[in-house]
Amino acid sequence: MLTKEELPECPVATTVALIGSKWKLLIIRNLLQRPWRFNELKRDLTGISQKVLTDSLRSMEEDGLITRTVYPEVPPRVEYALSDLGQTLKPILDSMVEWGNAYKQM
């Protein structure tokens, strides 16, 4: 996780540093729908390795974009959800959906 002082000056570069990987964007896409469990995300994100998913979730949690909730059950249940800050990414992903659909129509 980069500190605020370590983040790039350019706001676009800052956004890319926080959510710029393919997998982070797809994780956010899923979490915009509802909270997900780790194995649900792993199954849905075809091709993602367990390590990349784990690292991405940890990084986004450290950056304050997602929350991780552990339920005291046997076996323990863990759910990932977008934080309030993470929810503010919705307009960005909505714009990406709109642009992607328009591109497909060309």
Side-chain angles (χ1 to χ4, degrees):
M1 177 176 122
L2 297 174
T3 65
K4 296 211 189 251
E5 294 77 30
E6 295 171 324
L7 288 170
E9 253 185 72
C10 171
V12 173
T14 296
T15 304
V16 169
L18 294 172
I19 65 166
S21 81
K22 165 188 173 180
W23 295 116
K24 285 183 180 180
L25 286 170
L26 295 177
I27 292 167
I28 292 166
R29 174 205 63 192
N30 283 21
L31 295 180
L32 279 167
Q33 299 170 13
R34 61 176 173 83
W36 288 63
R37 294 174 73 172
F38 183 91
N39 285 328
E40 289 179 309
L41 287 167
K42 176 107 173 58
R43 276 192 301 275
D44 192 70
L45 301 171
T46 305
I48 193 169
S49 71
Q50 184 165 331
K51 180 181 181 350
V52 169
L53 179 55
T54 298
D55 291 348
S56 296
L57 290 169
R58 282 184 183 153
S59 171
M60 291 191 298
E61 185 180 12
E62 287 174 7
D63 292 332
L65 301 176
I66 67 171
T67 60
R68 178 180 183 270
T69 305
V70 180
Y71 294 92
E73 301 172 354
V74 178
R77 178 170 53 108
V78 178
E79 286 186 347
Y80 296 90
L82 287 177
S83 65
D84 290 341
L85 177 62
Q87 288 288 340
T88 66
L89 294 167
K90 185 178 183 334
I92 294 170
L93 269 75
D94 288 346
S95 293
M96 292 175 78
V97 167
E98 186 179 319
W99 189 91
N101 284 332
Y103 181 83
K104 287 179 180 180
Q105 300 300 316
M106 296 176 142

